[in-house]
Amino acid sequence: MALTPKLINDGNAAVDEMLAGIVAAHPGHVFRPDNSPRTVVARHGPRQGKVGIVIGGGSGHEPTFLGYVGKGLADACAVGNVFASPPPQPAIDAAVAASGGAGVLFLYGNYAGDVMNFDMAAEMLEMDGIEARTVITTDDIASAPRADRQKRRGVAGNVFIFKAAGAAADLMYSFDEVERVARHANDRTFTMGVALSSCSLPQTRRPSFELPAGEMEIGMGIHGEPGVRRGPLRSANEVADEIMDGILAEMNAPAGARVAVLVNSLGATPLMELYILYARVAERLGAAGLTVHKALVGPYCTSLDMAGASITVMHIDNELERLIDHPCDCVMFRS
């Protein structure tokens, strides 16, 4: 099996070298605390009396997670190895850096390693007098039935959920209210993806799973977790229709409702193809009587060099609209 070409030095050092590059490129936005190289902190985010927002997870999904650290969004991020949860210490360091005395909210996707390590971090923080709570994102509708939503994965919908919670914290909402907003945003966010090819990890430079040429897998996860259906590659409109059928049925929004939409590249799929997908998504939403308040198109939650895309729809209300529109200034995202 041929190696996938990559512009790296040492696969085992890729995450740390990436972090060094990000801090060097964006010193006005982020820094790494002394003796905590896997923690990224916003220069202008944390402040006294503000609820701290800490996000985190495995690398390889950039700009998720560390790209959303900045004023008005996340205050700090704990960074794991490629597709691996960060250990507790970077999460602790991130929480300490983000703490303004009003509590710290951990936000991350629903993966076993993340849950275990962030829970350990929260317990250790409590011993030091910092209250830490957790909201786990579960927007991937393909990963578990609706009745078991708490078992679903968190994927590209993280962008909208983090955005709403970060804005609430920036507006000085109380700890209870920031947590409520995060849960409310998660409950109204729905994502499904399609993979067209595998990705390759820096350490191996070989495909991490097999997906034959000319086939696609609907519902595959961002680490290559099994989807709901594998079959021949279909047209962009057919793929968008299959995904939108699932999202619209789950969301069950009445005509006249407003939505925020994300058409996301998993890494290798170019903007041309994303906008072709978005044209069909907009058509379907219009046919359902829904109004698009905000649309994002591009690589917002990737899976290294995987070919494919995901579609996220958030059913917004007046509060979520204000929070989604609230200004933020991050390394890889501004609004």
Side-chain angles (χ1 to χ4, degrees), residues 116-278:
M116 178 180 69
N117 289 337
F118 275 95
D119 279 354
M120 289 175 61
E123 292 175 4
M124 296 172 74
L125 287 163
E126 292 284 353
M127 296 170 59
D128 290 333
I130 297 176
E131 183 180 3
R133 302 180 191 173
T134 294
V135 174
I136 300 170
T137 61
T138 55
D139 57 296
D140 185 356
I141 68 172
S143 56
R146 189 181 316 189
D148 292 324
R149 177 158 189 175
Q150 75 280 0
K151 297 180 181 179
R152 289 177 171 175
R153 302 181 290 249
V155 286
N158 281 331
V159 177
F160 288 139
I161 299 162
F162 295 170
K163 180 71 179 69
D170 194 49
L171 290 167
M172 304 302 285
Y173 282 29
S174 71
F175 201 4
D176 287 344
E177 285 293 284
V178 173
E179 181 183 6
R180 176 192 62 78
V181 163
R183 296 189 187 282
H184 180 55
N186 182 62
D187 287 344
R188 294 170 75 101
T189 303
F190 309 89
T191 302
M192 186 185 290
V194 57
L196 311 182
S197 76
S198 180
C199 59
S200 56
L201 275 61
Q203 298 92 327
T204 66
R205 291 185 290 164
R206 290 183 169 86
S208 57
F209 60 87
E210 292 296 326
L211 184 59
E215 291 199 1
M216 65 177 190
E217 186 157 340
I218 295 283
M220 177 171 280
I222 57 175
H223 308 106
E225 298 95 338
V228 295
R229 186 181 68 78
R230 180 176 288 199
L233 177 61
R234 298 164 68 186
S235 71
N237 283 358
E238 290 174 306
V239 171
D241 282 342
E242 183 167 351
I243 292 174
M244 289 305 296
D245 286 345
I247 288 176
L248 289 171
E250 281 263 346
M251 188 167 62
N252 195 29
R258 291 159 293 155
V259 296
V261 183
L262 167 61
V263 176
N264 169 65
S265 171
L266 293 177
T269 297
L271 281 169
M272 174 185 285
E273 296 170 31
L274 299 181
Y275 278 109
I276 291 170
L277 281 174
Y278 182 81

Side-chain angles (χ1 to χ4, degrees), residues 3-25:
L3 296 178
T4 302
K6 289 186 181 294
L7 283 172
I8 58 175
N9 296 308
D10 175 355
N12 293 318
V15 172
D16 294 306
E17 292 184 346
M18 171 188 70
L19 292 173
I22 286 170
V23 171

Side-chain angles (χ1 to χ4, degrees), residues 75 108 114 122 151 156 181:
D75 296 297
Y108 53 88
D114 292 309
K151 297 180 181 179
V181 163

